[in-house]
Amino acid sequence: MRDLLPHIRPWYADGGRFAVATVIDTFRSAPRQPGAAMAVSGDGVVVGSVSGGCVEADVYEVAREVVRTGLPAVRRYGVSDDDIIAVGLTCGGVIDVLVQPVDLAAFAEFDAVADAAESGRPVAVATVVTTGAGLGQRLIVWPDRVTGSLGDPGLDSAVVEDAVAMLDQGATAIRYYGAQGECQRAEVAVFVQAFTPPPRMFVFGAIDFAAAVARVGKFLGHHVTVCDARGVFATRQRFPEADEVVVRWPHRFLAEALEQGLVDRRSVLCVLTHDPKFDVPLLEVALRTDAGYIGAMGSRRTHDDRLSRLRAVGVTEAELTRLSSPTGLDLGARTPEETAISIAAEIIAARSSATGRPLSTTKGRIHHEPAEHPAAARAGVA
């Protein structure tokens, strides 16, 4: 959705109605995750995608109808073994798509939500996706306020509590409730889309490999900071893709970033200096953060020496198990660019708890299915 904003904000400013189709739930090998979006303007212009091409034609027709009527709709797309010519996903997955009308009357908070999403300020949009009279009712959860309503104070309260937690996790998903917010019931399905600041990637060591890692990190959607104590190397000219280039001792900078709340479970820490005077104090701090990935570059001999030095300063074995070193997957990488891809591949695999093995050697589903809410099986959204 964030990627669509530069295209659809002018539509909103013009005052006309357009439709936004959003993936709200997936099952099995769905090509796009919840939050993937496609928009259709009043005159039929399309931006974005909900499936990579499998069902876009049908979603387009639904969106055109939503633009015409101003009424939201929910559609489920999937292919069964006995209905292979139906509109659906060739990958065998299933997706649920919410198609909503957007204009000044239907979504008065759109500009404020778009401003927050584009500037990196957290905001969550909760929308009822159960078919019926309440379909499309919307609640906006900001860090300091709540606007809108889902039709019941108890439901509003329960959704706000969940939305705040989902903002903290950067999670987007459907949650199920009773009509008055009861947590063990499933009459009402609410899609909570969390717009959070981009996850942060901290790259330590201003070397040529760091420049490649910064480029890949930015491509993957991270806010990238490059840090090195040596000002002659840590320059904006050498790292044009980075959001920040900081000249500081890495461990001191990371400690301050931690105090400022900039390191969380979505953060990535890449230690590329392979110099003990930088590595050891930096990793001593890093391994005690909540960062989702902590990788360190170096040979196996460097790794063994690094572990010995870290143990000597009191880092525990449990903390050491969080260290990915040597960093990256075994791809045969040699150049900075190849190495950056190797590191990015390990980051992605770690985030999804995937094996990192070639798909041709694995069995079962390609895409890991997200954990399903206990009530989900009892309450469909379509």
Side-chain angles (χ1 to χ4, degrees), residues 171-230:
T172 287
I174 287 182
R175 293 290 183 263
Y176 295 85
Y177 308 89
Q180 296 178 324
E182 300 91 336
C183 63
Q184 295 300 320
R185 300 177 66 176
E187 291 89 350
V188 182
V190 178
F191 176 62
V192 182
Q193 186 167 15
F195 295 95
T196 56
R200 289 181 175 268
M201 171 183 280
F202 297 92
V203 182
F204 298 99
I207 61 176
D208 50 356
F209 287 87
V213 170
R215 285 197 297 275
V216 172
K218 194 64 181 173
F219 177 76
L220 293 178
H222 291 80
H223 178 101
V224 178
T225 300
V226 175
C227 176
D228 197 302
R230 302 163 297 180

Side-chain angles (χ1 to χ4, degrees), residues 2-194:
R2 185 182 277 114
D3 294 339
L4 301 188
L5 290 176
H7 303 281
I8 64 179
R9 294 196 72 174
W11 300 353
Y12 188 81
D14 287 343
R17 178 185 296 158
F18 58 97
V20 174
T22 306
V23 176
I24 58 174
D25 210 356
T26 65
F27 309 91
R28 299 193 294 274
S29 296
R32 303 293 302 276
Q33 292 303 300
M38 166 180 148
V40 179
S41 72
D43 55 2
V45 176
V46 180
V47 293
S49 171
V50 294
S51 74
C54 303
V55 302
E56 263 71 7
D58 192 73
V59 173
Y60 175 81
E61 295 301 329
V62 176
R64 293 286 281 170
E65 181 67 11
V66 166
V67 171
R68 186 184 70 81
T69 65
L71 300 176
V74 173
R75 295 289 186 270
R76 171 166 288 182
Y77 296 96
V79 175
S80 63
D81 293 337
D82 57 354
D83 193 17
I84 60 173
I85 64 171
V87 175
L89 304 177
T90 57
C91 60
V94 177
I95 62 172
D96 290 329
V97 178
L98 169 68
V99 187
Q100 303 175 84
V102 179
D103 57 26
L104 294 170
F107 197 168
E109 307 95 337
F110 175 82
D111 261 339
V113 171
D115 284 342
E118 289 186 328
S119 64
R121 291 179 285 116
V123 62
V125 179
T127 308
V128 174
V129 295
T130 307
T131 55
L135 176 64
Q137 289 182 309
R138 188 183 295 112
L139 184 73
I140 314 297
V141 181
W142 312 86
D144 58 348
R145 68 189 189 280
V146 176
T147 59
S149 175
L150 303 181
D152 180 87
L155 178 59
D156 289 349
S157 178
V159 172
V160 168
E161 183 177 352
D162 280 351
V164 169
M166 293 170 74
L167 276 174
D168 181 59
Q169 300 165 4
T172 287
I174 287 182
R175 293 290 183 263
Y176 295 85
Y177 308 89
Q180 296 178 324
E182 300 91 336
C183 63
Q184 295 300 320
R185 300 177 66 176
E187 291 89 350
V188 182
V190 178
F191 176 62
V192 182
Q193 186 167 15

Side-chain angles (χ1 to χ4, degrees), residues 354-373:
T355 65
R357 294 166 51 199
L359 289 173
S360 61
T361 67
T362 63
K363 297 184 182 299
R365 297 172 182 171
I366 293 175
H367 300 286
H368 292 251
E369 187 172 354
E372 188 176 23
H373 188 281

